[in-house]
Structures are given as C-alpha cells and as structure tokens.
Amino acid sequence: MINSKSHKELLPHLFRQEYAKMTAVLCRHFGLQYIEIAEDIASETFLKASEHWAINGIPENPTAWLYTVAKNKTKDYFKNLSVFETKIKNEQPPNIQNEYDFEFDNQIISDSQLAMIFAVCNPVNSDESQICLALQILCGFSVEEIANAFLTKSETIKKRLQRARTNLRNDNFQIKSLTETEIRLRLDIVLKTLYLLFSEGYFSKTNDRQIRIDLCSEATRLSLFLTENPLTNTPQTNALLALMCFQSSRLEARTNDKGEAVLFDEQDKNLWDKSLIERGNYYLINATKGNEISKYHLEAGIAYWHSTPTDQNKWQHILQLYNQLILIEYSPITALNRTFAFAKVYGNEKAIPEAEKLNLFDSNYYNELLGYLYADTDITKAIEHYEQAIKLTKSKIEKQTLTREIKRLKEECKK
C-alpha cells in the first residue's frame, strides 16, 4: 500500500485524469444513449475508492484498482439487468454488448476518449452548451464548478446540460474507433470547442484563479491528446496547442498576490513559465508542416511574439499578424487588439481615430482601450472611458484594475 499521500489529495487528481476516460470506455460499451449509466458506474467507482482507501490505504496501483472496480461494477450491472428483465418482467434484456467483451486496455481507452471528444463537440448544440458538456463529460467538472466559470446559476447550467445531453442521445454518433472521414468532418468543431474552452479560462470573468487555471489546463490536456493521435495530429491542432502553451506561460504573471490584474507591460517576466514557452515553440514549428494558415496559426504567432520580450520589432510583427487575422475571421476583440498593436507601432495619438471608428460603445474593452490611449494626452477623457468601462464590465478584477488606474490618473492631475 502507498501511504506517502493522503487519499483525499490523490482522489481529486485521479478523478480529473481518469473519470472522463472511464466514462468514454463505458459509453463505448453501453452506447451513447446510456451515458447516464456510464457516468453512474464511474461515480460509484470513485465513491468506493474514497471509502475503501480511507480504511485500507491507497493500493499500489491506484489507477488499475479503479478500472478493475469499474469493470466489476459493469458486470454486476449486466447480471442485475438480466435477472430483472428475464425473471421479473419476463422479457429479453436490451441488446447491449456482452459484459465479457468488456476491457480497459490502453488502446480502447485512447480510441474511446477520442471518440467521446468528437461526440461532445456536436454542432447541434450551441457553443456554450458544447463547452459545458466538455467541462462536465470530458473534464469531470461539477455543475457548481461550471456555474462558477460562467458566473451563472447552477439551475441554468443544469437546464443547459439537460438539453445538450438530449441532443447527444438523439445523435447517431458512435463511441468507437473513428474513421478518417468522420474526423475530417468534425475536427474543426472540436478545435473550436477547445479554443473556446481555453478562452473561457484565459479571459474568465470570475475572480476564482483556480477555476480559470483549471479551464486552461483541461483545454490544453485535451489538445495535447489530439496531437498524440496520427489522425488528429494536424497543423491546425499543433497551432492551437502552441497558442495555449504561449498563453498559459503567462498565467501566473497576469494577477498579483491580491488577485488584481497586472497589465502586460507591468508583468514580472521572471514569472513566465519558460518550459511552456519552449513547448509552444515546439508545437508552432510542427504547425508549419503544411500549406494551410489558420486563425490558430496567426494567434499562436501573435502569442509567440508576446512571449519574446527582447525583440525590438515585435509589435510590427504582431500588427502584421493581426492584419491577416482580421481578414480571416473578424471579431470586435480582434479589431481592438489590432488597434492596441497599432498604437504600439505608430503611437497612441494616431491609434485613437483607429479605435473610435470601431464604434463599440457598449464594450468595456473598447472603453478600456480608449482610456489607455487617451491617458497620455487627455486625462479627463481617459477617466471618462475608464469609468464607462467599470459600468460595463461584470468582472470584479477588471473593476479593481480600472479603479486603480483612475486613482493613478487623478494623482497625475494634482502634480
């Protein structure tokens, strides 16, 4: 028995790592329409572990122990189902695969997990619903954790998940080894869902640092998994993973000890994770093995230059990449970020007309940008825009950061 670590410390870690894999294999066995049964068995397995390990200690191979229990519980389920159907209802049991075909080997786990990712990322559901499903089914997040991530009531998340799950059950997608055609048809949706999942963490409105980091790490883990399969190890996948590595490298530097946001120019670069930057470089090189340039390539390129503080011309490179990105996929956030890069290259004064012609008056980011651009030339206008941004944002951290900046500007006026 292993006693070096408490089961209360180990189980949450194993739950995050193995719950989704276990559910995926069970769904492969039962069929996606029986996903709740699969989840119940997986949950009961971890419940038994918490009870058994508390008394008997952690087994020598905790993961193998979990899968053995899950397999036995599955067999028990089939036996009980067979008895109920034949002896009580006098009917034949449902035509589900025989329990003796059931295995948890590495190849089945890998194939099942890949198929489950593609099942969850289903275009019949909205982007938000796909993210919620990914968090619950692929990452093992509770309804409460998902509600915290979205700053939404648990009841709202429950209803969203119920509708999305119904759509999944009604879909004919099979949890089995995927064909190249199936992967090609849905890979774009999968990458988009993982991109949105990461963005929800990286640009989260919640002030709970752990939730934000968890979202980013789970999106990165799933993207890494895709690069390990020959059918999904595409230039786009590598570009997305490179982007996640570069962005994640700065997570610790983006907030201070008080939980307040730290602007990019003020970040302590010693806190940047150099190993993640190196991994980002590795995946970005892999992403160039092809002729396609996707939005993930361009965003990874921008993140690369952000992670290279010593290059004097980096803002010219960043602006050029934003000019390409805005042609591929326009969004208000991309336009605002491009304007910030424009200001870095040509100065704040020339960037003000570029920003104002966007007319995004109801965006807190728009007002934050104008506040930043006016700060050196018209403090009164800068404060007005910052105050408007405070009214528009729901983020406690953003409000604190903007309030601090207004205080700084007012002190400047007194000098």
Side-chain angles (χ1 to χ4, degrees):
M1 294 293 171
I2 298 171
N3 295 306
S4 59
K5 183 184 277 191
S6 162
H7 75 282
K8 290 183 179 179
E9 294 177 278
L10 181 61
L11 266 176
H13 172 72
L14 284 173
F15 184 85
R16 279 280 195 260
Q17 278 197 325
E18 306 301 333
Y19 175 83
K21 297 177 187 177
M22 197 178 288
T23 303
V25 177
L26 291 168
C27 278
R28 180 193 182 102
H29 190 57
F30 287 104
L32 195 57
Q33 67 270 35
Y34 297 103
I35 186 171
E36 279 79 12
I37 295 172
E39 289 174 323
D40 285 346
I41 290 174
S43 296
E44 287 170 12
T45 297
F46 280 92
L47 178 61
K48 182 170 182 178
S50 68
E51 295 169 349
H52 189 271
W53 296 0
I55 298 169
N56 301 289
I58 300 170
E60 189 171 335
N61 190 333
T63 304
W65 188 96
L66 288 168
Y67 284 116
T68 300
V69 170
K71 183 173 180 178
N72 290 336
K73 283 188 174 292
T74 304
K75 287 184 176 183
D76 289 342
Y77 172 82
F78 279 120
K79 288 176 185 175
N80 293 335
L81 179 67
S82 180
V83 168
F84 179 77
E85 295 290 342
T86 55
K87 293 187 176 180
I88 299 178
K89 292 179 66 179
N90 295 316
E91 295 177 6
Q92 281 297 107
N95 185 25
I96 302 175
Q97 295 179 54
N98 190 285
E99 67 268 25
Y100 299 108
D101 297 327
F102 183 81
E103 282 299 334
F104 276 111
D105 64 43
N106 289 335
Q107 189 59 52
I108 287 177
I109 290 173
S110 179
D111 289 347
S112 302
Q113 194 177 11
L114 182 67
M116 182 63 94
I117 292 171
F118 277 72
V120 166
C121 300
N122 191 324
V124 300
N125 286 317
S126 67
D127 289 347
E128 280 196 339
S129 294
Q130 287 182 54
I131 295 171
C132 288
L133 281 173
L135 287 171
Q136 188 181 56
I137 297 174
L138 302 179
C139 308
F141 275 51
S142 68
V143 170
E144 289 72 23
E145 286 177 309
I146 300 170
N148 286 338
F150 281 92
L151 291 184
T152 306
K153 293 179 180 177
S154 295
E155 199 56 42
T156 302
I157 295 298
K158 281 182 185 175
K159 290 177 182 176
R160 188 179 297 168
L161 285 167
Q162 284 170 357
R163 288 193 296 269
R165 280 169 171 271
T166 299
N167 290 334
L168 281 192
R169 282 192 295 268
N170 293 337
D171 189 41
N172 292 321
F173 198 85
Q174 298 297 309
I175 303 297
K176 57 180 176 55
S177 297
L178 298 177
T179 65
E180 192 169 347
T181 301
E182 287 172 317
I183 285 174
R184 191 171 61 250
L185 288 173
R186 203 177 279 197
L187 183 58
D188 283 349
I189 295 291
V190 170
L191 295 181
K192 180 184 177 183
T193 302
L194 297 182
Y195 172 82
L196 292 172
L197 174 56
F198 184 87
S199 297
E200 188 62 40
Y202 194 76
F203 301 106
S204 177
K205 297 296 183 291
T206 176
N207 60 353
D208 187 327
R209 286 167 55 92
Q210 195 56 48
I211 290 291
R212 185 180 72 217
I213 292 172
D214 273 0
L215 295 184
C216 292
S217 63
E218 286 300 313
T220 304
R221 178 182 67 82
L222 293 170
S223 299
L224 178 62
F225 177 77
L226 293 181
T227 65
E228 293 168 350
N229 187 296
L231 293 176
T232 51
N233 185 28
T234 66
Q236 273 202 68
T237 306
N238 279 273
L240 177 58
L241 185 53
L243 169 62
M244 291 178 179
C245 288
F246 287 134
Q247 298 285 57
S248 296
S249 72
R250 301 195 303 276
L251 270 175
E252 290 297 329
R254 291 179 71 218
T255 52
N256 61 23
D257 294 338
K258 298 177 182 177
E260 298 169 336
V262 179
L263 300 176
F264 178 81
D265 290 340
E266 299 171 4
Q267 287 176 13
D268 180 356
K269 294 174 179 58
N270 292 320
L271 294 177
W272 291 4
D273 189 325
K274 292 178 178 59
S275 64
L276 277 174
I277 293 173
E278 288 171 4
R279 289 177 68 185
N281 290 334
Y282 170 80
Y283 291 114
L284 188 56
I285 291 169
N286 286 349
T288 62
K289 297 174 182 176
N291 299 320
E292 182 184 10
I293 297 180
S294 66
K295 64 170 282 185
Y296 306 122
H297 285 83
L298 296 172
E299 289 197 34
I302 291 166
Y304 163 80
W305 286 112
H306 276 307
S307 306
T308 313
T310 55
D311 192 288
Q312 293 181 346
N313 298 315
K314 73 172 185 175
W315 285 107
Q316 283 93 333
H317 296 299
I318 290 171
L319 180 58
Q320 288 171 11
L321 289 166
Y322 270 123
N323 288 339
Q324 291 178 263
L325 180 60
I326 213 161
L327 293 174
I328 288 180
E329 185 176 295
Y330 176 86
S331 75
I333 288 295
T334 301
L336 290 169
N337 287 336
R338 178 201 166 274
T339 306
F340 181 81
F342 185 94
K344 288 292 187 181
V345 175
Y346 298 108
N348 290 7
E349 206 165 336
K350 288 185 179 178
I352 288 172
E354 289 283 313
E356 289 180 335
K357 69 184 181 185
L358 296 174
N359 294 325
L360 299 169
F361 303 108
D362 294 332
S363 165
N364 60 295
Y365 299 119
Y366 173 76
N367 284 282
E368 283 177 41
L369 176 61
L370 281 171
Y372 170 81
L373 295 176
Y374 272 116
D376 292 335
T377 55
D378 191 333
I379 289 179
T380 302
K381 274 196 172 182
I383 290 173
E384 286 175 3
H385 282 293
Y386 280 142
E387 287 175 341
Q388 182 63 17
I390 289 173
K391 291 178 185 176
L392 292 169
T393 185
K394 295 178 181 178
S395 169
K396 182 180 176 183
I397 289 179
E398 276 186 47
K399 288 179 189 289
Q400 290 172 344
T401 304
L402 293 169
T403 301
R404 193 173 70 239
E405 189 61 17
I406 289 171
K407 182 180 178 182
R408 185 189 70 79
L409 289 174
K410 285 181 177 178
E411 287 173 356
E412 283 284 320
C413 287
K414 294 176 184 176
K415 291 179 182 178

